[in-house]
Amino acid sequence: MGTRSVLWSFANKFFTCGVIGVYVSDRFVGVAPVRGFSMSPTLNPGTTSLMGLPIDDYVLVEKRCLQNYKFSHGDVVVFRLVGTFCSSPSNHKERHIKRITALHGEWIGTRHSYDVLKIPEGHCWVEGDNSSSSLDSRSFGPIPLALIQGRVTHIAWPPKRIGAVEKRTPQDTISSS
């Protein structure tokens, strides 16, 4: 009888912790891996391990900003592309991490072309910090704010890079309406 109550107690605590963990990661904060070099040098600056293998950054993603879609220039955000926005039809679950450079109602002029575009209501323009290796709004256009899953606030891993992610905005792309 004692073994059964110990197992039940353990299972009950394990289940409770799991439910609380899922709730917290869904509503408040989560952790996301950074893949690729599109946000270098801010994220994944090419740090290597002792064995010479690249180390991916892991970032904290704050989700309270989703309640009112309160974003500003320079915010680094996590989003998924779906439907016509999807860059990889075979992997629609792929998450992207980019910096917001323009919000709805603003005009954006891309650096590599002479196009000028007004960002529609409920959308934003995102770009990677490393423009030479970034698939971003210059390729697929403005993204709906509803696709954003959270704002990156801190680097959580590797330990030598732990710290806040700074807000930076390219000055040559923003213009008010």
Side-chain angles (χ1 to χ4, degrees), residues 2-149:
T3 305
R4 181 181 243 176
S5 69
V6 169
L7 287 174
W8 177 252
S9 175
F10 175 77
N12 191 11
K13 288 177 184 175
F14 186 77
F15 180 75
T16 302
C17 289
V19 169
I20 291 170
V22 167
Y23 179 77
V24 168
S25 69
D26 186 51
R27 298 281 182 203
F28 302 110
V29 67
V31 176
V34 180
R35 306 284 186 231
F37 295 99
S38 68
M39 285 299 294
S40 183
T42 305
L43 304 172
N44 279 356
T47 314
T48 57
S49 67
L50 294 174
M51 300 179 73
L53 300 171
I55 299 174
D56 287 338
D57 286 350
Y58 283 78
V59 294
L60 289 180
V61 181
E62 179 260 322
K63 298 179 181 184
R64 293 190 61 198
C65 60
L66 299 175
Q67 292 172 350
N68 297 321
Y69 293 107
K70 292 193 176 189
F71 300 103
S72 59
H73 298 102
D75 283 345
V76 177
V77 294
V78 177
F79 61 95
R80 279 205 172 119
L81 295 178
V82 294
T84 57
F85 293 97
C86 193
S87 63
S88 175
S90 62
N91 190 3
H92 64 278
K93 293 183 178 183
E94 184 176 299
R95 290 200 271 186
H96 299 270
I97 300 177
K98 307 290 182 210
R99 190 177 301 277
I100 293 178
T101 57
L103 296 164
H104 62 88
E106 296 177 337
W107 293 88
I108 186 97
T110 58
R111 292 182 207 121
H112 304 294
S113 72
Y114 298 106
D115 294 339
V116 177
L117 173 73
K118 185 172 184 178
I119 308 300
E121 187 71 29
H123 289 68
C124 66
W125 188 269
V126 293
E127 292 183 8
D129 289 355
N130 183 359
S131 60
S132 65
S133 71
S134 180
L135 181 64
D136 51 32
S137 286
R138 291 170 294 175
S139 302
F140 47 73
I143 64 163
L145 293 174
L147 295 181
I148 295 177
Q149 297 180 327

